[in-house]
Amino acid sequence: MAEPQEAAVVTMDKIVSLCRRRGFVFPSSEIYGGLGSTFDYGHYGVLAKNNIRERWFEAMVQQRDDVVALDSAIILHPRVWEASGHVEGFTDPLVDCRTCKLRFRADKLEDAQCGRKPSKHPGETPDCDLTEARQFNLMFETTVGAVQEEGSRAFLRPETAQGIFINFKNVLQLARRRPPFGIAQTGKAFRNEITPGNFLFRVREFELMEMEFFVPPAEAEEWHRYWIEERLSWHLRYGLRKSHLRVREHGPEERSHYSQGTSDIEYLYPIGWSELEGVANRGEYDLTRHTEFSGTKLEYVGPDSERYTPFVIEPAVSIERIFVAMLVDAYDEEVVAERERTVLRLHPAIAPVKAAILPLIGKSEDMASKARPLYEELRRKHFVEYDDSAAIGRRYRRQDEIGTPFAFTIDEDTLEDDTITVRDRDSLAQERIPIAGAAAWLEDALARPWTTPKADS
Amino acid sequence: MAEPQEAAVVTMDKIVSLCRRRGFVFPSSEIYGGLGSTFDYGHYGVLAKNNIRERWFEAMVQQRDDVVALDSAIILHPRVWEASGHVEGFTDPLVDCRTCKLRFRADKLEDAQCGRKPSKHPGETPDCDLTEARQFNLMFETTVGAVQEEGSRAFLRPETAQGIFINFKNVLQLARRRPPFGIAQTGKAFRNEITPGNFLFRVREFELMEMEFFVPPAEAEEWHRYWIEERLSWHLRYGLRKSHLRVREHGPEERSHYSQGTSDIEYLYPIGWSELEGVANRGEYDLTRHTEFSGTKLEYVGPDSERYTPFVIEPAVSIERIFVAMLVDAYDEEVVAERERTVLRLHPAIAPVKAAILPLIGKSEDMASKARPLYEELRRKHFVEYDDSAAIGRRYRRQDEIGTPFAFTIDEDTLEDDTITVRDRDSLAQERIPIAGAAAWLEDALARPWTTPKADS
């Protein structure tokens, strides 16, 4: 992980605290003391993650001619992971300390603390009696079926990509596509990380969004550049700041075993610049390996019998890393009319709740009789919230903190003339509109292009 | 599983064959010889499953005041499964045959075949030398972290419900809800079934949609009835036939260890009447057990300090079982104008593709210049398909088989007067509309109430 090169706008602690306070994210299994680096998502977290997934799927599949969807199993045939190189190569080097009995990553000793002298690193204390490093596989293992024999050992997938490669021939035959074309999927993946941490940044269980784009080998570099640009522009479209994004090419020594060249789209997290999304040129590695291991030829045969093994360009990102980046760039604290407010300036397409419906006087039945039908109309298409609790200022603050872009307030005037106030989360501008036009107003507002109201540095 | 009491309309073979032919579902890891009862979903399968999940989420969360969403981890703290009773009780009785070395479910011997005499059942042949039955746990086990000690043993969740119970207190505090209220989640669950089978009906890895509804104990029976009705009406709304649905109450001997009473919504699958969705009254079992095991009191304390442990009503269903049921009821073969066609009469909200855009003469650039902009407009909001291949009849048949409710055809007349033909999948009625009004026409058509065009028996 690179050192912070620029002060980040917000600390990770503030993000974690907001997530907890508003029920976006909870430490998992908390009543049992927690399970390290595992998280459960509350209501708003689920809605935000759904929005991220849907916007990705829309851009990567729905709005393209050349990409189809797939959803492969989490537990695949164990041979898949031999062919992919994961059984042999998806490992971290570990050492044990014979004195304190703890286990550390040999390549990260300077980050780890000695079990006996917690202020020291294992390499620094004379008490530490470290074993030689041995390779530890990061795949979770399990057993399928009731028989404990070798053949029933299986793995939880550490990436979704392999499920795509082994279905390449099926899709080629049935989806009427020829290279360049892609296969996209989202879903859980698992890595038995020895040093997880930094909130959602490195977790053992996460949701990947991967697309494998199959191209004629001669076009691989061009498509690699295309997908880096395409994914960058997606992140910018949904509210990440240009100055917090950069592209960094992997050096030859840090490339994965399958890679012909990888570029990371990095984001300036509060912990420093780090990977947001990887865009790799996997070459013909995977299709060739699965051809070898399965005996099924995975290649493209064209109408004039030309045949080749396509190269693969892979943009791969986890929902968790996007979620954290979006929270960081959306988080803002400001003083308005001598009052502090915390506001999440999320892109409206990402915001968990699109609008709040607020009768000014919570207990007024007259206002409720106007507000409820509006709420019931709007929730047919969108997540909206009805809140008739407490003082209006407190309700606005709650909506600001969860990032709700619009609030519709029903007041005394509504009872007279059937108009309501729309409050804009970012500008705090208020506008009066007819209640009958509120649904159409919301559709228009959500369809408008949006730019982050925070100046880019 | 009950015997078929009524002839099903379609065989499972026909469904499997259509799914394969049109790329809805593939046997998983096929190039490696497959992995028993595991499936990968192709493009249309993914879209249909997404639609099922979204309609469920919309009805169960978005359109209700009293249900919030959650997404808990797949690998929870191992104590969770001790508290839930799964470590002890989530088992099947197994026997080994000392002669043929195979393993069988002791309670399903009559369904299993002897390894040496495949026409016989293990109990029937004198060669079979069966061991005593022993209990085999259906949870997949794995190890978290690099240490192989007892504390790091973990399980893949066999249901999503427990993730909800252990977050009960978090949600109660943060979501400003009081009983009756519910917590809903969807996600993968895993069961190491010894006898999986019947296509997607019993698989080891599946996607659950569960909602735990917390109620005052005195209201439990009433809410139990409410949720049975509510879920029945959801299934009917999205196209299942009334005559293929029934509610069956579990006898005391078949209830799960936590159940105070369970009713199955059963569907007449091609294999006979069997569970589609379970609606259970779990009583206070789960909250009480987690209180005992965690030391955290999971109860509701009201504004006047009244306190009680809520009862839980749980509608739980897998996407897979809904998907198969919907395919079965949608499948139809008919002869139209002396030509056979296979058509999936799926509810438009479930159909993978909402509309096909078909230039009558695929190679006509004039037609393409009208058809492409329409396609690009429609795909901004919906999954639609552009198809300029082969003969129009073949294109219609392909769309019929994947269940596309509407087809827009661009022809010679379009070039003259900017009108297009809309073809209705079910009635085959054709209607001429202005191309500029096609997007609005589609919105209206998708918002219209829909009833299955197949007469109910």
Side-chain angles (χ1 to χ4, degrees), chain B residues 292-303:
Chain B
E292 265 172 54
F293 278 71
S294 73
T296 302
K297 230 170 165 49
L298 302 179
E299 60 177 8
Y300 171 71
V301 183

Side-chain angles (χ1 to χ4, degrees), chain A residues 20-23 26-35 38-44 46-47 49-50 54 57-58 61-65 67-80 83 94 103 134 136 140-148 156-157 163 165-167 170-171 173-174 176 188 190 192-194 204-205 207 289-290 293-294 296 298 372 375 378-383 385-387 389 398 443, chain B residues 20-23 26-35 38-44 46-47 49-50 54 57-58 61-65 67-80 83 94 103 134 136 140-148 156-157 163 165-167 170-171 173-174 176 188 190 192-194 204-205 207 289-290 293-294 296 298 372 375 378-383 385-387 389 398 443:
Chain A
R20 181 60 209 257
R21 187 165 76 246
R22 290 299 174 195
F26 308 117
S28 185
S29 303
E30 205 176 10
I31 63 173
Y32 289 102
L35 189 66
T38 309
F39 296 90
D40 294 345
Y41 293 80
H43 187 65
Y44 300 128
V46 174
L47 302 189
K49 282 202 308 168
N50 285 351
E54 285 165 20
F57 200 70
E58 188 177 83
V61 187
Q62 181 180 319
Q63 299 184 344
R64 298 188 67 98
D65 287 333
V67 179
V68 297
L70 186 84
D71 181 22
S72 65
I74 287 174
I75 299 178
L76 299 172
H77 196 289
R79 288 278 283 170
V80 171
L94 294 189
R103 190 164 283 184
R134 60 176 193 88
F136 174 76
F140 283 103
E141 227 181 285
T142 191
T143 305
V144 173
V147 190
Q148 300 278 345
L156 306 190
R157 66 180 177 199
F165 299 129
I166 62 175
N167 279 292
N170 280 333
V171 175
Q173 283 171 348
L174 290 167
R176 302 176 296 130
K188 281 278 177 107
F190 301 81
N192 197 356
E193 299 277 359
I194 303 313
R204 294 202 174 98
E205 177 178 335
E207 187 170 343
R289 293 276 290 190
H290 285 297
F293 278 69
S294 73
T296 302
L298 302 179
R372 283 292 310 186
Y375 165 63
L378 298 182
R379 77 177 179 188
R380 276 192 274 151
K381 291 186 88 166
H382 299 289
F383 265 95
E385 265 191 16
Y386 187 85
D387 186 359
S389 72
R398 179 185 298 132
E443 288 308 317
Chain B
R20 181 59 210 257
R21 188 165 74 244
R22 290 299 175 195
F26 309 117
S28 185
S29 303
E30 205 177 11
I31 62 172
Y32 289 102
L35 189 66
T38 309
F39 296 90
D40 296 343
Y41 292 82
H43 186 65
Y44 300 128
V46 174
L47 302 189
K49 283 202 308 167
N50 286 352
E54 285 164 21
F57 200 70
E58 187 178 82
V61 187
Q62 180 179 321
Q63 299 185 343
R64 298 188 68 99
D65 286 334
V67 179
V68 296
L70 186 83
D71 181 23
S72 65
I74 287 174
I75 299 178
L76 299 171
H77 196 289
R79 288 279 281 169
V80 170
L94 293 190
R103 189 164 284 182
R134 61 177 193 88
F136 173 77
F140 283 103
E141 228 181 284
T142 191
T143 306
V144 174
V147 190
Q148 299 278 343
L156 305 191
R157 67 181 177 199
F165 299 130
I166 62 175
N167 279 293
N170 280 333
V171 175
Q173 283 170 349
L174 289 166
R176 303 174 297 130
K188 280 278 175 108
F190 301 81
N192 197 358
E193 299 277 0
I194 303 312
R204 295 201 174 101
E205 176 179 336
E207 188 170 345
R289 292 276 291 192
H290 286 296
F293 278 71
S294 73
T296 302
L298 302 179
R372 283 291 310 186
Y375 166 61
L378 297 181
R379 78 177 176 186
R380 275 193 273 152
K381 293 187 88 168
H382 299 290
F383 264 95
E385 265 190 17
Y386 186 84
D387 187 357
S389 72
R398 179 185 299 134
E443 288 309 316

